[in-house]
Amino acid sequence: MSRFKKASSIIKAYNRFSDIVSTIEEYFITILTLAFGLILIYNLALRALKIQGLIWNEEFSRYMLVITTLIGCSIAVKNKGHMVMDTLVTALPIRIGHVLRAIGYLICSVLYLYLGIYAYKWTGKLIAMNRKSESINIPLWPVWVFVTYAILTMGWRYFVQMLKSINAASRGEKIISEQEAQIAASLEEEAARKKAIADKQGGNVK
C-alpha cells in the first residue's frame, strides 16, 4: 500500500511539473508569435512609406516560425492535440486497442528521441564551427537549442503517452477517440474553473 501511495505521489508531482513546463512553453510561443507579428507589421509599414525594410526580417521570422511550430507540436503531444486516424483502435477490443496505440506512441517516441540526439550533436557542431546567420550575423546554435529541446520533449511526451496507454490496457479502460478525450478534458477544466469561482465567492460571503 505504501508503494502505491509513493508511486501515486510521484505521478502527481510529475503532472504538476509537466503542467508548469507546458504553461511556460505556451507563454513563450505566444510572446514569440506576438513579436513576429509586430515585426512583420513594422516592416510592412516601412515598405508602405517606401523606406527600406529590415533586412533580417525574413530570416528572423523563419527561425521564429520553426521554433514556435516545434514547441507547439510538443505541447500538442502532451494534450493529445494532434489529428489522428483512430477508427481501427476504437473498433478493436479494449486491451488490444490500447496496446496498438502504445506501439504507435513507442515508434514516435523512438523516432523523435533519435532526431533529438542528432539535433543535439548538430548544435555542438554549430558551436564548434561558430556558424552565424547570413543577415543577422548572430550565432545559429541558440536556434538549434530550442529545436533540440522541442524534439526531445516530443519524444519524451510520446513515451509518457505510451506508458498511459499500457496502464489503460492493464485496467481495461474504455477507449475513446482523441477528439472525445479533448472534449472531456475541456469539460473537466471548465467544471474545475466554475468550482474555483464558486468557492471563492463562498469565501467572500463568509
Side-chain angles (χ1 to χ4, degrees):
M1 189 67 178
S2 59
R3 289 184 179 180
F4 176 78
K5 289 183 178 179
K6 185 177 180 180
S8 179
S9 62
I10 292 174
I11 293 172
K12 288 180 180 179
Y14 170 78
N15 289 334
R16 285 196 297 268
F17 174 76
S18 180
D19 290 339
I20 292 172
V21 172
S22 296
T23 301
I24 294 172
E25 290 172 341
E26 289 170 2
Y27 275 112
F28 175 76
I29 62 177
T30 299
I31 293 171
L32 211 57
T33 304
L34 179 61
F36 168 71
L38 291 175
I39 292 172
L40 181 62
I41 293 172
Y42 177 72
N43 210 42
L44 289 174
L46 291 179
R47 291 184 179 181
L49 297 173
K50 296 183 180 181
I51 302 174
Q52 183 179 1
L54 303 173
I55 60 174
W56 47 266
N57 174 63
E58 182 179 350
E59 187 176 10
F60 185 65
S61 300
R62 186 165 62 248
Y63 294 150
M64 286 195 295
L65 180 62
V66 170
I67 292 171
T68 54
T69 299
L70 289 176
I71 294 179
C73 287
S74 180
I75 296 172
V77 172
K78 175 183 179 295
N79 299 330
K80 292 187 175 181
H82 287 291
M83 296 296 295
V84 295
M85 296 294 291
D86 53 6
T87 304
L88 176 61
V89 174
T90 53
L92 289 170
I94 291 176
R95 286 186 168 82
I96 296 177
H98 281 304
V99 170
L100 185 61
R101 183 176 284 180
I103 292 172
Y105 287 142
L106 176 61
I107 293 172
C108 292
S109 175
V110 172
L111 174 64
Y112 280 106
L113 289 174
Y114 172 78
L115 290 175
I117 294 172
Y118 180 84
Y120 173 78
K121 292 179 179 179
W122 177 245
T123 304
K125 290 181 180 179
L126 290 176
I127 296 174
M129 294 185 296
N130 194 27
R131 288 284 300 275
K132 295 184 178 181
S133 63
E134 297 177 2
S135 59
I136 313 177
N137 197 31
I138 62 172
L140 280 175
W141 66 265
V143 176
W144 277 89
V145 167
F146 290 109
V147 170
T148 303
Y149 167 82
I151 296 175
L152 286 175
T153 52
M154 263 192 282
W156 169 251
R157 283 165 172 164
Y158 271 122
F159 180 75
V160 172
Q161 293 296 343
M162 181 203 68
L163 294 179
K164 289 181 179 179
S165 293
I166 293 175
N167 183 49
S170 65
R171 294 185 177 186
E173 295 179 1
K174 179 183 176 182
I175 297 179
I176 60 175
S177 66
E178 303 291 346
Q179 289 73 26
E180 289 174 333
Q182 291 178 35
I183 293 172
S186 299
L187 291 174
E188 288 180 2
E189 290 178 1
E190 181 65 18
R193 186 183 67 83
K194 289 181 178 179
K195 184 177 182 301
I197 294 174
D199 292 342
K200 186 177 180 181
Q201 290 176 346
N204 291 336
V205 171
K206 291 180 180 180

